[in-house]
Amino acid sequence: MTFIQAVILGLAQGLAEFLPISSSGHLALLQYFFDISAENVLPFAVLLHLGTLISIFVVYWKDIVELVCELFACIKDIFTGKGPRINANPTRRLGFMILVATIPTAIIGLAFNDLFAGLYLSLPAIGFGLLITGTILVIAEKMATGRKRVEQMKFRNAVLVGLMQGIAIWPGISRSGSTLFGGLVSGLNREFAVKFAFLISIPSILGSVIVEAPDAFSAGMSMGDLGPVIVGVIVSAVSGFFAIKTMIRVVSNKKLTGFSIYTWALGALVLLYAIFLA
C-alpha cells in the first residue's frame, strides 16, 4: 500500500464514519478501484477503526470519563447491596442505555457476520446500501425535533437505535445516519441523538476490532507497511475529529439534504457501473 492510498483510505474512514455517507461502503469501493486484496486491506481497516475511536475519545472525553467513573460506582452499589440504581443520575442512566443499545447490534453482527462480509465484495449491494442511506437521511431531515433526553429515554428507544446500528453493518448503509434516524424516530432531542449515536459506536467499533483482529493479523504485516499504516491512522483520527464536529452542527441545523443527494448519486453510479461496466 502506498502513502497516497493510505491517506485516501484514512480520509474515507475518518470522514465517512461520522458523516452520514457510510465508511464501509467507501472503503469497499476504494479497495475495489485501487485493486487492493482483502488480505491486504483488512489489517489496515482494523487499525483505521482505532483511529476513529481516538477522535471520539477526544471529542467526548468528559462524557467518557464520567461514564467510566459511574461504572465503578454502579459496581460498588451492586456489591454493597444497593442494586444497580439505574436512575441514580443521568450519567448512569446513559451508561445503561448504551449497554441496552449495544445488545441488538452485537446479536445482528454475530448472527449475520458472514453474510455481511460477502456483501463487501458486491458492488450492487454497496450501491443499494447507499440508496438506503440517502432515503433514511431524507426522512430524518423532515422529522420534527424531539424533546427526549436521557432522563426521558426508554429502553425500547435504545433497542431501536441499536437495531439501526446493527443494520448499518451492511456496506453502504451509514452507521451515523441510521443510528441518528433511530434516535429521531424515538423522539430524542437532535443534539442528544447525535451524541448518543456516537457514544454507542464505541463498543460497536471495539467489538468489530476484537472480532476481526485475529483474521486480519494472522498473515502478519511487513515493516514496509508500517509507515503508510501510521499515516493512515493519524489521518483517520484527525479527519474523524472534524467530521464529528461537523455532524453535530449539521444535525442541529437540519441540513442533511446534501448528504442524501451525495449518497443517492454515488449509489446510482455504483449500480450503473456494476450493471454496464464491471
Side-chain angles (χ1 to χ4, degrees):
M1 186 177 300
T2 67
F3 279 97
I4 293 177
Q5 289 175 333
V7 169
I8 294 174
L9 290 171
L11 276 173
Q13 172 63 31
L15 294 176
E17 180 68 41
F18 302 115
L19 298 179
I21 56 177
S22 177
S23 63
S24 60
H26 280 73
L27 286 179
L29 290 175
L30 289 171
Q31 174 188 336
Y32 177 85
F33 288 107
F34 282 161
D35 195 24
I36 304 174
S37 67
E39 292 78 9
N40 289 333
V41 80
L42 186 55
F44 186 55
V46 170
L47 292 173
L48 288 183
H49 278 89
L50 293 179
T52 53
L53 269 181
I54 293 172
S55 58
I56 299 176
F57 276 91
V58 171
V59 175
Y60 291 108
W61 70 270
K62 289 184 180 179
D63 297 279
I64 294 170
V65 169
E66 290 176 358
L67 285 166
V68 172
C69 291
E70 200 57 41
L71 171 62
F72 286 108
C74 180
I75 294 173
K76 179 183 176 182
D77 285 345
I78 292 174
F79 278 99
T80 55
K82 297 179 181 179
R85 300 176 63 217
I86 296 174
N87 297 315
N89 55 64
T91 301
R92 185 173 300 192
R93 185 172 179 80
L94 175 60
F96 274 95
M97 291 298 170
I98 293 172
L99 176 62
V100 170
T102 300
I103 293 172
T105 300
I107 292 174
I108 293 173
L110 293 173
F112 300 100
N113 182 60
D114 292 340
L115 170 64
F116 287 123
L119 295 179
Y120 280 80
L121 302 177
S122 170
L123 288 179
I126 297 169
F128 184 62
L130 288 166
L131 294 180
I132 293 175
T133 294
T135 304
I136 287 174
L137 294 177
V138 165
I139 298 173
E141 175 89 351
K142 296 183 179 299
M143 292 189 65
T145 300
R147 297 184 178 181
K148 289 182 183 178
R149 300 192 68 84
V150 68
E151 294 87 350
Q152 296 81 36
M153 191 177 182
K154 307 297 184 183
F155 284 127
R156 62 176 178 270
N157 302 143
V159 170
L160 176 59
V161 179
L163 285 171
M164 293 305 299
Q165 181 170 242
I167 294 171
I169 300 175
W170 183 298
I173 299 181
S174 165
R175 185 207 309 271
S176 60
S178 59
T179 50
L180 172 64
F181 173 81
L184 294 178
V185 168
S186 300
L188 301 186
N189 170 277
R190 297 183 80 88
E191 290 77 13
F192 176 65
V194 177
K195 178 179 177 179
F196 189 70
F198 288 150
L199 288 177
I200 67 169
S201 72
I202 296 175
S204 176
I205 294 174
L206 280 175
S208 66
V209 169
I210 292 171
V211 171
E212 295 171 0
D215 291 336
F217 296 103
S218 60
M221 183 179 293
S222 68
M223 290 301 294
D225 292 328
L226 187 59
V229 164
I230 293 174
V231 170
V233 171
I234 292 173
V235 170
S236 174
V238 174
S239 59
F241 172 84
F242 288 106
I244 292 174
K245 293 290 189 179
T246 300
M247 188 62 175
I248 293 172
R249 293 194 300 271
V250 165
V251 174
S252 299
N253 297 325
K254 299 182 69 173
K255 293 183 178 179
L256 294 170
T257 304
F259 296 112
S260 299
I261 295 172
Y262 172 78
T263 50
W264 274 336
L266 181 59
L269 286 173
V270 170
L271 288 176
L272 290 172
Y273 179 87
I275 294 171
F276 296 108
L277 298 176

